[in-house]
Amino acid sequence: MISVLFAILTAVSNGSGAVLQRRAAATVPDTKAMRLELIRHLLRQKVWLAGIGLVIVAAVCQAVALATGPIAVVQPIFVVELPATLLIAGYVFRARLPREVWAGVAAVTCGLALGMASAAPGGGGESVPGAAWISALLLTGVFEGLLLAWSTRLRGNARAAALGLAAATGYALTAALMKDAMARLEDGGAAALFTSWQLYATAVAGVGALFLLQNALQAGSLAASQPMLTLGDALISIAYGVTLFGESVRVGWWLLPELIAVVLITVGCVTLARSPLAGGAAPPPPRVR
């Protein structure tokens, strides 16, 4: 499927970009958190700009994936972004990956396979009725507001986790808006796309999610923010797919293997995010005997 291929390409680009952004954001003083000075500081760093370049590539691939497949199929595939990134980083740094990393890769991969096979997402329409967006945007805004208010009372990794979930919500909303906008392109051409509010709402939601992600990465370790970002994006996107686009997932006793899949992905993400490669650094080379 074209959508699966471009979803994988999106995951690889996004994951690589997130690691580069984390490396840059970790150098920002706490006094610049949740302020525009954070972005000004990052704009002067080539590493961060390279990460943003990969995010742009990912956005193009994501648009193609969402235009050709259900959101409940495309977005969950993005959980492979961290494993793919670490494998690429290991190759680039010519570093032998420790067993923990391989175990994390296996956990995320098996969790994704089990989750997709159990949920069997699919179906649904390509666009969303305008009235449905009103309640969706209101509920999303309330949820984001609560997360941001809660994060102001937290510090360190707890704050990073809360902001990671807030960023995940923003990215899931961006994907839903993007899919709806791409449907306008298919139905009415470029004119319909550029006159649709969904296109511009996609840009606003995407910028907001990016801002929240930078603050999540600055607030604490990648091991705290990445699982919330990865799982939050996947699960909230599935919710958007079901409620807005009429897509379907299996429930009932299928919830048990789906829960096991979530646990596997969570454990795998935490394990991988603790790797030195996830922080943008190469691990020490193996000793020569």
Side-chain angles (χ1 to χ4, degrees):
M1 293 176 62
I2 295 178
S3 60
V4 173
L5 172 61
F6 275 89
I8 294 173
L9 292 175
T10 303
V12 173
S13 298
N14 249 340
S16 301
V19 171
L20 293 178
Q21 291 171 55
R22 164 59 187 164
R23 186 173 182 177
T27 65
V28 180
D30 291 340
T31 55
K32 296 185 179 182
M34 298 303 292
R35 296 182 180 180
L36 290 178
E37 285 82 356
L38 172 69
I39 300 301
R40 294 195 189 101
H41 182 94
L42 293 172
L43 282 172
R44 295 192 292 267
Q45 300 194 41
K46 294 181 180 180
V47 172
W48 188 81
L49 292 175
I52 293 300
L54 288 171
V55 169
I56 294 173
V57 172
V60 175
C61 294
Q62 183 182 14
V64 176
L66 290 171
T68 55
I71 188 173
V73 172
V74 172
Q75 292 297 110
I77 293 177
F78 295 163
V79 302
V80 303
E81 68 179 43
L82 189 55
T85 299
L86 295 188
L87 293 177
I88 293 173
Y91 174 79
V92 170
F93 287 123
R94 300 180 183 276
R96 180 179 298 175
L97 298 178
R99 294 179 180 178
E100 292 79 7
V101 170
W102 287 110
V105 171
V108 172
T109 304
C110 292
L112 176 62
L114 177 61
M116 295 295 283
S118 302
E126 296 298 320
S127 60
V128 179
W133 273 118
I134 297 176
S135 58
L137 291 174
L138 285 174
L139 289 173
T140 301
V142 170
F143 183 60
E144 288 275 38
L146 292 174
L147 282 174
L148 292 177
W150 183 40
S151 69
T152 60
R153 301 184 177 184
L154 303 173
R155 292 292 181 271
N157 286 342
R159 181 185 175 91
L163 290 173
L165 181 56
T169 304
Y171 281 122
L173 176 62
T174 301
L177 289 165
M178 182 185 293
K179 181 173 178 61
D180 201 15
M182 294 302 293
R184 269 62 183 174
L185 176 64
E186 295 179 4
D187 294 338
L193 172 64
F194 286 103
T195 56
S196 67
W197 67 267
Q198 289 90 340
L199 175 64
Y200 304 100
T202 298
V204 173
V207 171
L210 178 61
F211 178 72
L212 291 172
L213 176 60
Q214 303 314 309
N215 282 276
L217 296 174
Q218 185 272 337
S221 68
L222 195 66
S225 60
Q226 187 67 37
M228 300 300 290
L229 179 68
T230 300
L231 282 173
D233 189 357
L235 296 177
I236 296 171
S237 293
I238 291 174
Y240 280 136
V242 171
T243 58
L244 293 177
F245 294 92
E247 297 170 4
S248 62
V249 293
R250 289 193 290 208
V251 292
W253 72 270
W254 290 104
L255 290 173
L256 178 59
E258 289 166 12
L259 179 60
I260 295 174
V262 169
V263 172
L264 283 172
I265 293 172
T266 302
V267 172
C269 284
V270 171
T271 301
L272 294 174
R274 289 175 175 171
S275 166
L277 285 173
R287 296 180 179 179
V288 179
R289 295 183 179 178

